[in-house]
Amino acid sequence: MDVAALTFLALALPFVAALLAPLLTRLLGHNAAWVLALFPLAIVLHFIRFWPEVAKGEVVTGGYAWIPSFNVSFSWLIDGLSLTFVLLIAGIGALIVLYSGGYLKGHPQQGRFFSFILMFMGSMLGVVVSDSFLMLFVFWELTSITSFLLIGFDHSREAARRAALQALVVTGGGGLFLLAGLLIIWNVSGVTQLSLLSAFGSEMRESPFYLAALLLVLGGAFTKSAQFPFHFWLPNAMEAPTPVSAYLHSATMVKAGVYLLMRLNPVLGGTPEWQILLPLFGGATLVIGAALACRQTDLKLMLAYTTMASLGLLVMLTGLGAPHAIEAAVLYLVAHSLFKGALFMVAGIIDHETGTRDVTRLGGLRSAMPLTFVIALAAAFSMGGLFPFFGFIAKEEIYYALSGFDRRSLVFAAIAILGNALMFAVAFAVALKPFVGAKIETPKAPHEAPILLWLGPALLAAKGLSAALLSGLTHELVSTPMASAIAGEPRAVTISVVPHVGLPLIMSIVTAVIGIGFYLKLDRVRAFMATILADIGWGPDRGFDQFIRGLVRFSVTLTRRLQSGRLEVYMTATFILIAFVLLVVPIAYGEFPRAPFFAADVPLHELAIMAIAVIGLIAVVLAADRLTAIVSLGIQGFAVAVIFLLYGAPDLAFTQFMIETLSVVVLALVMTRLRLSPSDHRPLAQKIPDVAIALACGLGFGLMLLKVTGVPFDATLTDFFNLYSKSIAHGANVVNVIIVDFRGTDTLGEIAVVMVTGLAILSLVRLRAGSLRRVADNDPDAEEGA
């Protein structure tokens, strides 16, 4: 099997595993996690094969034609950026599957949960390897749908349903912005694949549509990666089970927006707009998220808000434009995936084994849960940027990128120090406060977690240490190829775990000192933030509820106005629109026909036929009852049929005669059975607008026909049908061949419409007849009146 087929199979593995998960869970119980974890492990093993090529800076592409006529393919792009994301998604995903087996042990819907988490994994893998624009968008929206299922997994709780809907609305709506941005990029560049797009960076940046494309792409990225003010869905997503939170925050959905910005950096980056908007929103998100994290007492919410802050830091670094900023973003993204996944799983272990996640109700767990304490402490060291963990290397590179003495560097350096110090305090609040101090009684007697729960966080914490100690190898295989892919040019990452005396180290020490101060005064910081939030009162989360309520009210009002349930209203609106299109639009564009309505040499007999049609129209309008109107209506049809006959279309005239005759006969029989009352009950005030609309539509159609007939005749279709009717359809009558063969499906549809109409008439007649019989049975004199 070739590499392309194996790659396609690897991308399909999560969805295959999702189909098998319920059956395996039914057979093996929670131990099905061991089998299901083999699927993402196989994905890791497959994509590791690309490491030698990617480490050399090469790009691997492949795929299959999807819609060749539109140059759309199911194609993938493997470079340093996508390969790193794939290994994080699949590697951490395997650990999350194992963790889910222990965390949801005994849950009646564990099989369903496995299916959802694996579909989510497959969706995220599709996002990061997609080369095709359409493939990227499809998987992008699929992550929103699968996250909706995961966040609302406990659908019996209103809070879970609200959080799931909120995440779907925000991220799904952002996906529509992304689609519009990708369409603009496609229109400007003319390509539909990311691997080809990098060559059109200058064209995109110089295009008058650049700003529109940038804002739309940022709309998709900011909503997905929870940038302020679209951040509110992320903390609410903590209603999901802890395995979802750990996966969502470490390696998957919330980093999709960051991935998109990094992917498009060579095309959209480097402009003043890019270097203003990204650092501005990213810096604001960093500080706000870190401050809100200090306000929380729920372990998961504390970590959720620090994820928001970390995403802001990544966005800020991606758009900063300073030397080594891209390298710093790469290192911090990897470090964050490792320590945040570990800490979330630690929070889940604490909740699972004690029955609470409230940090104020936890303490003294170190003796009962020593292994969990060590794991938490190791992950907190990396999150706090302390030696010798990978987070320390990332923090050093961040400060190295911000160590300039210009005003811009100083401002963002201060923002980074403040945000990192607050996250330092939260990291050790999560890792220390539940374990040290006096023992506090918890709802459940604490004890060490089983292997399915602690294996994942232990491996992630250990990886955060080993990646730093083996930084040379890490940079060769991961950091350098990833930074080069983001920058669009070769970038070498060389920073090591050995501390180097200089401004970055001093900034790291300052961060740690301030962070320790925040940690020691965390209760005061929490009270201070609570006061500020109380004074502000309103927030984006409440604004979302107000927006949804307003949208629902507006929709109900609009629907009641537009969908009144009266056919008369629908028909009036339809004909007003038709008149508008046929009259107003041609007037606006000067498309009215300039030829006179009638030529001077119109034969007298044609004028007579037209006069007959007008007389028939007057008879329809003035008819006293519907039966007379129906009979009079046939006059127009017969007049038109005579005109067809005069102009050399006897077969069409014959068809028209038959249709008009049958229509009059059938409608007359139906009306006779129904015995309907006189035709028109409308007052004069209603008749006048209806007459105006009818005349406008008639005039519009007449002018359109005059305009069409004034255009020189194009005989292309005529020649085609004359040429092929005999040779292909084996019919001498061209009109019949067109109807039966060339337009066979259309004719079939018309027949279906006639059949449905006949059935409706039959049902109406029977319903009316049955009603009359019931009336006659009750009152023999009533039928005559009916």
Side-chain angles (χ1 to χ4, degrees):
M1 189 177 293
D2 60 8
V3 175
L6 285 173
T7 302
F8 180 82
L9 179 61
L11 295 175
L13 276 180
F15 300 101
V16 174
L19 291 174
L20 298 176
L23 176 61
L24 290 174
T25 306
R26 193 175 301 115
L27 295 175
L28 304 176
H30 71 283
N31 287 315
W34 295 103
V35 178
L36 294 172
L38 296 176
F39 288 86
L41 181 60
I43 296 173
V44 172
L45 294 176
H46 170 73
F47 280 95
I48 282 178
R49 300 170 57 187
F50 296 106
W51 243 343
E53 299 169 80
V54 171
K56 296 176 184 178
E58 298 179 11
V59 177
V60 181
T61 59
Y64 303 95
W66 190 355
I67 310 175
S69 59
F70 286 94
N71 193 27
V72 175
S73 60
F74 187 91
S75 54
W76 48 83
L77 166 64
I78 308 297
D79 61 2
L81 176 60
S82 56
L83 181 58
T84 301
F85 266 95
V86 165
L87 296 178
L88 288 173
I89 294 165
I92 296 178
L95 301 178
I96 292 294
V97 170
L98 293 175
Y99 184 83
S100 302
Y103 191 85
L104 293 173
K105 179 181 178 180
H107 196 289
Q109 296 296 327
Q110 189 175 36
R112 181 166 64 96
F113 180 85
F114 280 137
S115 291
F116 290 168
I117 202 79
L118 288 163
M119 285 192 293
F120 182 57
M121 180 191 303
S123 305
M124 190 64 197
L125 286 171
V127 168
V128 299
V129 303
S130 294
D131 191 18
S132 162
F133 287 2
L134 181 59
M135 182 176 164
L136 171 65
F137 172 73
V138 169
F139 282 112
W140 183 279
E141 292 296 79
L142 196 55
T143 59
S144 296
I145 295 171
T146 50
S147 67
F148 168 80
L149 298 174
L150 287 168
I151 295 169
F153 178 72
D154 189 6
H155 52 79
S156 60
R157 294 188 299 111
E158 182 181 356
R161 296 195 301 272
R162 176 184 180 271
L165 179 63
Q166 189 179 71
L168 180 65
V169 170
V170 175
T171 61
L176 298 179
F177 284 108
L178 172 61
L179 177 61
L182 291 176
L183 291 175
I184 292 177
I185 294 173
W186 181 8
N187 182 67
V188 173
S189 65
V191 299
T192 61
Q193 291 177 290
L194 293 168
S195 57
L196 302 177
L197 185 61
S198 56
F200 295 88
S202 58
E203 286 86 346
M204 277 303 310
R205 289 186 285 269
E206 294 170 3
S207 170
F209 300 104
Y210 168 78
L211 184 59
L214 175 62
L215 293 177
L216 290 169
V217 168
L218 292 184
F222 283 4
T223 51
K224 191 73 90 173
S225 284
Q227 297 299 289
F228 180 85
F230 307 107
H231 66 281
F232 51 88
W233 73 266
L234 184 59
N236 291 336
M238 294 305 98
E239 296 295 335
T242 299
V244 178
S245 304
Y247 200 31
L248 191 81
H249 287 251
S250 60
T252 53
M253 182 167 154
V254 295
K255 285 193 171 71
V258 174
Y259 164 81
L260 180 67
L261 296 176
M262 290 179 169
R263 174 60 71 197
L264 295 179
N265 178 65
V267 181
L268 301 178
T271 64
E273 296 88 345
W274 179 273
Q275 295 179 357
I276 290 173
L277 292 174
L278 267 67
L280 178 64
F281 281 90
T285 304
L286 168 61
V287 174
I288 294 171
L292 290 175
C294 295
R295 166 69 181 85
Q296 310 303 317
T297 60
D298 185 296
L299 293 175
K300 282 177 62 175
L301 283 176
M302 294 168 71
L303 293 172
Y305 278 108
T306 60
T307 296
M308 170 188 163
S310 297
L311 294 170
L313 179 58
L314 288 170
V315 170
M316 184 181 81
L317 293 170
T318 302
L320 197 60
H324 298 280
I326 294 297
E327 293 88 327
V330 166
L331 295 174
Y332 189 75
L333 185 145
V334 175
H336 178 266
S337 297
L338 299 176
F339 66 66
K340 189 54 65 70
L343 285 174
F344 259 109
M345 286 191 265
V346 165
I349 291 173
I350 293 173
D351 183 25
H352 192 270
E353 304 304 330
T354 65
T356 182
R357 296 195 307 258
D358 191 337
V359 71
T360 62
R361 299 175 56 193
L362 293 166
L365 297 177
R366 180 176 56 181
S367 58
M369 306 172 68
L371 180 58
T372 304
F373 173 57
V374 172
I375 296 171
L377 199 58
F381 262 71
S382 187
M383 183 173 173
L386 298 181
F387 176 85
F389 288 84
F390 202 69
F392 170 75
I393 295 179
K395 200 71 63 67
E396 288 287 287
E397 191 75 3
I398 291 171
Y399 290 145
Y400 185 62
L402 296 171
S403 58
F405 290 97
D406 58 287
R407 182 181 301 176
R408 189 168 186 265
S409 296
L410 291 174
V411 169
F412 286 109
I415 291 173
I417 290 174
L418 176 60
N420 285 329
L422 290 168
M423 287 196 288
F424 180 101
V426 174
F428 283 96
V430 173
L432 286 180
K433 286 187 176 295
F435 297 97
V436 301
K439 184 176 181 180
I440 300 176
E441 292 298 323
T442 55
K444 295 168 62 177
H447 55 82
E448 196 57 83
I451 185 173
L452 282 173
L453 288 178
W454 62 255
L455 180 62
L459 290 176
L460 291 178
K463 188 60 180 176
L465 178 60
S466 63
L469 297 178
L470 302 174
S471 58
L473 182 62
T474 303
H475 297 331
E476 178 185 352
L477 297 177
V478 177
S479 310
T480 295
M482 186 176 179
S484 300
I486 297 170
E489 60 184 18
R491 293 284 181 91
V493 182
T494 58
I495 189 170
S496 68
V497 74
V498 179
H500 299 278
V501 178
L503 185 58
L505 181 60
I506 295 173
M507 295 167 72
S508 291
I509 294 173
V510 171
T511 300
V513 171
I514 299 175
I516 292 171
F518 282 139
Y519 172 80
L520 295 175
K521 302 295 182 181
L522 191 58
D523 291 338
R524 291 188 180 182
V525 175
R526 185 180 296 122
F528 175 72
M529 285 302 304
T531 302
I532 291 179
L533 294 175
D535 291 340
I536 295 175
W538 186 89
D541 187 42
R542 185 182 300 177
F544 174 83
D545 291 336
Q546 294 170 344
F547 169 76
I548 293 297
R549 285 195 297 269
L551 181 63
V552 171
R553 284 197 295 267
F554 171 77
S555 301
V556 170
T557 303
L558 184 65
T559 302
R560 286 175 177 172
R561 292 289 181 88
L562 298 181
Q563 303 291 334
S564 62
R566 297 178 59 192
L567 181 61
E568 179 185 0
V569 174
Y570 300 156
M571 293 181 63
T572 301
T574 300
F575 284 112
I576 288 176
L577 180 61
I578 292 173
F580 175 84
V581 172
L582 293 176
L583 291 177
V584 177
V585 175
I587 290 174
Y589 287 91
E591 292 293 331
F592 266 132
R594 303 182 183 276
F597 281 91
F598 295 102
D601 57 347
V602 177
L604 182 62
H605 61 276
E606 292 184 10
L607 292 175
I609 293 172
M610 295 178 186
I612 292 172
V614 172
I615 293 171
L617 176 64
I618 296 173
V620 172
V621 173
L622 299 179
D625 55 69
R626 285 189 175 92
L627 185 59
T628 305
I630 290 170
V631 174
S632 302
L633 190 62
I635 298 175
Q636 285 80 35
F638 281 105
V640 172
V642 172
I643 293 176
F644 289 155
L645 188 64
L646 292 175
Y647 277 85
D651 51 351
L652 190 58
F654 176 75
T655 304
Q656 184 76 9
F657 281 128
M658 293 294 295
I659 292 295
E660 289 298 327
T661 302
L662 289 174
S663 298
V664 171
V665 170
V666 171
L667 288 176
L669 289 174
V670 170
M671 292 301 174
T672 303
R673 280 298 289 274
L674 294 177
R675 298 184 182 182
L676 296 175
S677 56
S679 60
D680 201 344
H681 298 279
R682 293 172 297 172
L684 181 62
Q686 187 177 354
K687 288 182 180 180
I688 293 176
D690 290 346
V691 169
I693 295 171
L695 291 176
C697 289
L699 178 62
F701 277 113
L703 292 174
M704 183 185 69
L705 289 174
L706 287 174
K707 180 68 177 179
V708 171
T709 55
V711 176
F713 179 70
D714 185 353
T716 302
L717 286 177
T718 303
D719 297 337
F720 173 84
F721 289 125
N722 287 334
L723 179 63
Y724 292 110
S725 292
K726 185 77 172 178
S727 60
I728 294 179
H730 308 289
N733 189 316
V734 178
V735 175
N736 290 349
V737 169
I738 292 173
I739 294 174
V740 176
D741 291 281
F742 291 108
R743 285 180 50 195
T745 304
D746 184 32
T747 305
L748 180 63
E750 294 174 354
I751 294 172
V753 170
V754 172
M755 181 185 69
V756 172
T757 304
L759 292 174
I761 294 173
L762 179 62
S763 300
L764 186 63
V765 170
R766 286 186 173 181
L767 180 66
R768 178 66 175 173
S771 176
L772 291 175
R773 282 195 299 270
R774 287 192 297 271
V775 171
D777 291 340
N778 295 329
D779 184 1
D781 297 329
E783 185 175 1
E784 186 68 27

Short mmCIF file of all heavy atoms in Angstrom, two decimals, residues 4-20 39-40 42-43 46-47 64 74 76 118-119 121-123 125-126 129 135 139:
data_model
loop_
_atom_site.label_atom_id
_atom_site.label_comp_id
_atom_site.label_asym_id
_atom_site.label_seq_id
_atom_site.Cartn_x
_atom_site.Cartn_y
_atom_site.Cartn_z
N ALA A 4 0.19 7.48 0.18
CA ALA A 4 -1.07 8.24 0.10
C ALA A 4 -2.23 7.43 0.66
O ALA A 4 -3.05 7.94 1.44
CB ALA A 4 -1.35 8.64 -1.35
N ALA A 5 -2.30 6.15 0.29
CA ALA A 5 -3.38 5.31 0.79
C ALA A 5 -3.26 5.10 2.30
O ALA A 5 -4.27 5.12 3.03
CB ALA A 5 -3.37 3.96 0.07
N LEU A 6 -2.04 4.92 2.79
CA LEU A 6 -1.84 4.75 4.23
C LEU A 6 -2.21 6.02 4.99
O LEU A 6 -2.78 5.96 6.09
CB LEU A 6 -0.38 4.38 4.51
CG LEU A 6 0.03 2.94 4.16
CD1 LEU A 6 1.54 2.77 4.33
CD2 LEU A 6 -0.72 1.95 5.04
N THR A 7 -1.88 7.17 4.42
CA THR A 7 -2.23 8.43 5.08
C THR A 7 -3.73 8.62 5.13
O THR A 7 -4.30 9.03 6.16
CB THR A 7 -1.58 9.61 4.33
OG1 THR A 7 -0.16 9.42 4.29
CG2 THR A 7 -1.88 10.93 5.03
N PHE A 8 -4.40 8.31 4.03
CA PHE A 8 -5.86 8.37 4.02
C PHE A 8 -6.45 7.44 5.07
O PHE A 8 -7.39 7.80 5.80
CB PHE A 8 -6.37 8.01 2.63
CG PHE A 8 -7.86 8.04 2.50
CD1 PHE A 8 -8.54 9.23 2.30
CD2 PHE A 8 -8.61 6.87 2.61
CE1 PHE A 8 -9.92 9.26 2.19
CE2 PHE A 8 -9.98 6.89 2.51
CZ PHE A 8 -10.64 8.09 2.29
N LEU A 9 -5.91 6.24 5.16
CA LEU A 9 -6.38 5.27 6.15
C LEU A 9 -6.13 5.77 7.56
O LEU A 9 -6.99 5.63 8.45
CB LEU A 9 -5.69 3.93 5.94
CG LEU A 9 -6.06 2.80 6.91
CD1 LEU A 9 -7.55 2.49 6.82
CD2 LEU A 9 -5.24 1.56 6.63
N ALA A 10 -4.96 6.38 7.79
CA ALA A 10 -4.64 6.91 9.12
C ALA A 10 -5.62 8.01 9.52
O ALA A 10 -6.06 8.07 10.68
CB ALA A 10 -3.21 7.45 9.14
N LEU A 11 -6.00 8.88 8.58
CA LEU A 11 -6.95 9.95 8.88
C LEU A 11 -8.35 9.40 9.12
O LEU A 11 -9.16 10.03 9.82
CB LEU A 11 -6.97 10.96 7.73
CG LEU A 11 -5.67 11.75 7.51
CD1 LEU A 11 -5.78 12.63 6.28
CD2 LEU A 11 -5.34 12.60 8.74
N ALA A 12 -8.65 8.23 8.55
CA ALA A 12 -9.97 7.63 8.74
C ALA A 12 -10.05 6.78 10.00
O ALA A 12 -11.15 6.45 10.46
CB ALA A 12 -10.33 6.77 7.53
N LEU A 13 -8.89 6.43 10.60
CA LEU A 13 -8.89 5.53 11.75
C LEU A 13 -9.74 6.03 12.92
O LEU A 13 -10.47 5.23 13.53
CB LEU A 13 -7.44 5.29 12.22
CG LEU A 13 -6.67 4.19 11.49
CD1 LEU A 13 -5.26 4.08 12.06
CD2 LEU A 13 -7.38 2.86 11.59
N PRO A 14 -9.69 7.32 13.30
CA PRO A 14 -10.53 7.74 14.43
C PRO A 14 -12.02 7.52 14.19
O PRO A 14 -12.75 7.16 15.12
CB PRO A 14 -10.21 9.24 14.57
CG PRO A 14 -8.87 9.40 13.95
CD PRO A 14 -8.83 8.42 12.83
N PHE A 15 -12.46 7.71 12.96
CA PHE A 15 -13.88 7.52 12.66
C PHE A 15 -14.24 6.03 12.66
O PHE A 15 -15.35 5.66 13.07
CB PHE A 15 -14.21 8.17 11.32
CG PHE A 15 -13.94 9.65 11.29
CD1 PHE A 15 -12.81 10.16 10.68
CD2 PHE A 15 -14.82 10.53 11.89
CE1 PHE A 15 -12.56 11.52 10.67
CE2 PHE A 15 -14.59 11.90 11.89
CZ PHE A 15 -13.45 12.39 11.27
N VAL A 16 -13.31 5.20 12.21
CA VAL A 16 -13.53 3.75 12.30
C VAL A 16 -13.62 3.33 13.76
O VAL A 16 -14.51 2.55 14.15
CB VAL A 16 -12.39 2.99 11.58
CG1 VAL A 16 -12.53 1.49 11.80
CG2 VAL A 16 -12.37 3.33 10.10
N ALA A 17 -12.70 3.85 14.58
CA ALA A 17 -12.73 3.53 16.01
C ALA A 17 -14.02 4.02 16.66
O ALA A 17 -14.57 3.37 17.56
CB ALA A 17 -11.52 4.14 16.70
N ALA A 18 -14.53 5.18 16.21
CA ALA A 18 -15.78 5.70 16.76
C ALA A 18 -16.94 4.76 16.48
O ALA A 18 -17.84 4.59 17.31
CB ALA A 18 -16.06 7.08 16.18
N LEU A 19 -16.94 4.12 15.30
CA LEU A 19 -17.99 3.16 14.98
C LEU A 19 -17.89 1.90 15.85
O LEU A 19 -18.90 1.32 16.23
CB LEU A 19 -17.90 2.78 13.50
CG LEU A 19 -18.27 3.87 12.49
CD1 LEU A 19 -17.99 3.38 11.07
CD2 LEU A 19 -19.73 4.27 12.62
N LEU A 20 -16.66 1.50 16.17
CA LEU A 20 -16.46 0.27 16.93
C LEU A 20 -16.60 0.48 18.44
O LEU A 20 -16.79 -0.50 19.18
CB LEU A 20 -15.07 -0.30 16.63
CG LEU A 20 -14.80 -0.73 15.18
CD1 LEU A 20 -13.35 -1.16 15.04
CD2 LEU A 20 -15.74 -1.84 14.76
N PHE A 39 -5.73 2.90 18.20
CA PHE A 39 -6.02 3.61 16.95
C PHE A 39 -5.24 4.92 16.85
O PHE A 39 -4.52 5.14 15.86
CB PHE A 39 -7.52 3.84 16.81
CG PHE A 39 -8.30 2.60 16.50
CD1 PHE A 39 -8.73 1.76 17.50
CD2 PHE A 39 -8.59 2.26 15.19
CE1 PHE A 39 -9.46 0.61 17.22
CE2 PHE A 39 -9.31 1.11 14.88
CZ PHE A 39 -9.74 0.29 15.90
N PRO A 40 -5.32 5.82 17.84
CA PRO A 40 -4.48 7.02 17.75
C PRO A 40 -2.99 6.69 17.83
O PRO A 40 -2.17 7.41 17.23
CB PRO A 40 -4.94 7.87 18.94
CG PRO A 40 -5.67 6.96 19.84
CD PRO A 40 -6.26 5.90 18.97
N ALA A 42 -1.58 4.14 16.42
CA ALA A 42 -1.23 3.79 15.05
C ALA A 42 -1.06 5.04 14.19
O ALA A 42 -0.18 5.08 13.30
CB ALA A 42 -2.31 2.88 14.46
N ILE A 43 -1.87 6.06 14.43
CA ILE A 43 -1.73 7.33 13.70
C ILE A 43 -0.37 7.95 13.99
O ILE A 43 0.33 8.43 13.09
CB ILE A 43 -2.88 8.28 14.07
CG1 ILE A 43 -4.22 7.69 13.63
CG2 ILE A 43 -2.67 9.64 13.44
CD1 ILE A 43 -5.42 8.47 14.11
N HIS A 46 2.32 6.08 12.17
CA HIS A 46 2.34 6.36 10.73
C HIS A 46 3.00 7.70 10.44
O HIS A 46 3.86 7.80 9.55
CB HIS A 46 0.92 6.34 10.17
CG HIS A 46 0.85 6.86 8.76
ND1 HIS A 46 1.31 6.14 7.67
CD2 HIS A 46 0.39 8.04 8.25
CE1 HIS A 46 1.13 6.85 6.56
NE2 HIS A 46 0.57 8.01 6.90
N PHE A 47 2.59 8.74 11.15
CA PHE A 47 3.09 10.07 10.81
C PHE A 47 4.53 10.30 11.27
O PHE A 47 5.19 11.20 10.76
CB PHE A 47 2.16 11.14 11.41
CG PHE A 47 0.92 11.37 10.58
CD1 PHE A 47 -0.27 10.72 10.88
CD2 PHE A 47 0.95 12.22 9.49
CE1 PHE A 47 -1.40 10.92 10.12
CE2 PHE A 47 -0.17 12.43 8.72
CZ PHE A 47 -1.36 11.77 9.03
N TYR A 64 -6.41 13.03 -3.18
CA TYR A 64 -7.22 12.52 -4.28
C TYR A 64 -8.12 13.64 -4.81
O TYR A 64 -8.54 14.52 -4.05
CB TYR A 64 -8.08 11.34 -3.83
CG TYR A 64 -7.28 10.20 -3.25
CD1 TYR A 64 -7.10 10.11 -1.87
CD2 TYR A 64 -6.71 9.24 -4.07
CE1 TYR A 64 -6.35 9.07 -1.32
CE2 TYR A 64 -5.98 8.20 -3.53
CZ TYR A 64 -5.80 8.12 -2.17
OH TYR A 64 -5.06 7.10 -1.62
N PHE A 74 -9.35 16.20 -2.02
CA PHE A 74 -9.18 15.72 -0.65
C PHE A 74 -7.68 15.52 -0.47
O PHE A 74 -7.15 14.46 -0.76
CB PHE A 74 -9.96 14.43 -0.43
CG PHE A 74 -9.98 13.97 1.00
CD1 PHE A 74 -10.99 14.35 1.86
CD2 PHE A 74 -8.98 13.14 1.50
CE1 PHE A 74 -11.01 13.93 3.17
CE2 PHE A 74 -8.98 12.72 2.80
CZ PHE A 74 -10.01 13.12 3.65
N TRP A 76 -3.80 16.52 1.58
CA TRP A 76 -3.18 16.85 2.87
C TRP A 76 -1.81 17.46 2.67
O TRP A 76 -1.16 17.31 1.63
CB TRP A 76 -3.07 15.59 3.74
CG TRP A 76 -2.50 14.40 3.03
CD1 TRP A 76 -1.20 14.09 2.82
CD2 TRP A 76 -3.26 13.35 2.42
NE1 TRP A 76 -1.08 12.93 2.13
CE2 TRP A 76 -2.31 12.44 1.87
CE3 TRP A 76 -4.62 13.09 2.31
CZ2 TRP A 76 -2.71 11.29 1.21
CZ3 TRP A 76 -5.01 11.94 1.63
CH2 TRP A 76 -4.06 11.06 1.10
N LEU A 118 -13.49 10.22 19.83
CA LEU A 118 -12.71 9.77 18.68
C LEU A 118 -13.11 10.53 17.42
O LEU A 118 -12.25 10.85 16.58
CB LEU A 118 -12.90 8.27 18.49
CG LEU A 118 -12.20 7.40 19.54
CD1 LEU A 118 -12.75 5.98 19.54
CD2 LEU A 118 -10.69 7.38 19.31
N MET A 119 -14.39 10.84 17.25
CA MET A 119 -14.81 11.67 16.12
C MET A 119 -14.21 13.06 16.23
O MET A 119 -13.80 13.66 15.24
CB MET A 119 -16.33 11.75 16.06
CG MET A 119 -17.00 10.50 15.54
SD MET A 119 -18.74 10.76 15.15
CE MET A 119 -19.42 11.07 16.78
N MET A 121 -11.39 13.76 17.67
CA MET A 121 -9.98 13.59 17.31
C MET A 121 -9.81 13.59 15.79
O MET A 121 -8.94 14.28 15.25
CB MET A 121 -9.45 12.29 17.90
CG MET A 121 -7.99 12.00 17.59
SD MET A 121 -7.53 10.31 18.03
CE MET A 121 -7.95 10.27 19.77
N GLY A 122 -10.63 12.81 15.10
CA GLY A 122 -10.54 12.75 13.65
C GLY A 122 -10.81 14.09 13.00
O GLY A 122 -10.15 14.46 12.01
N SER A 123 -11.75 14.85 13.54
CA SER A 123 -12.06 16.18 12.99
C SER A 123 -10.88 17.12 13.13
O SER A 123 -10.53 17.85 12.20
CB SER A 123 -13.28 16.76 13.71
OG SER A 123 -14.38 15.89 13.63
N LEU A 125 -7.70 16.29 13.50
CA LEU A 125 -6.63 15.84 12.61
C LEU A 125 -6.88 16.34 11.18
O LEU A 125 -5.95 16.76 10.48
CB LEU A 125 -6.53 14.32 12.62
CG LEU A 125 -5.92 13.66 13.85
CD1 LEU A 125 -6.10 12.15 13.80
CD2 LEU A 125 -4.44 14.00 13.96
N GLY A 126 -8.14 16.29 10.76
CA GLY A 126 -8.47 16.78 9.43
C GLY A 126 -8.17 18.25 9.26
O GLY A 126 -7.71 18.69 8.20
N VAL A 129 -4.15 18.80 8.90
CA VAL A 129 -3.46 18.23 7.74
C VAL A 129 -4.08 18.67 6.42
O VAL A 129 -3.54 18.36 5.36
CB VAL A 129 -3.42 16.69 7.79
CG1 VAL A 129 -2.76 16.21 9.06
CG2 VAL A 129 -4.80 16.09 7.64
N MET A 135 -11.70 21.15 2.27
CA MET A 135 -11.45 20.12 3.27
C MET A 135 -11.19 20.75 4.63
O MET A 135 -11.70 20.29 5.67
CB MET A 135 -10.25 19.29 2.83
CG MET A 135 -9.89 18.13 3.73
SD MET A 135 -8.53 17.21 2.98
CE MET A 135 -7.98 16.24 4.40
N PHE A 139 -13.75 20.09 7.95
CA PHE A 139 -13.27 19.57 9.23
C PHE A 139 -13.35 20.64 10.32
O PHE A 139 -13.56 20.31 11.50
CB PHE A 139 -11.83 19.05 9.08
CG PHE A 139 -11.75 17.70 8.45
CD1 PHE A 139 -11.19 17.53 7.20
CD2 PHE A 139 -12.24 16.58 9.11
CE1 PHE A 139 -11.12 16.28 6.61
CE2 PHE A 139 -12.17 15.32 8.53
CZ PHE A 139 -11.61 15.18 7.27
#
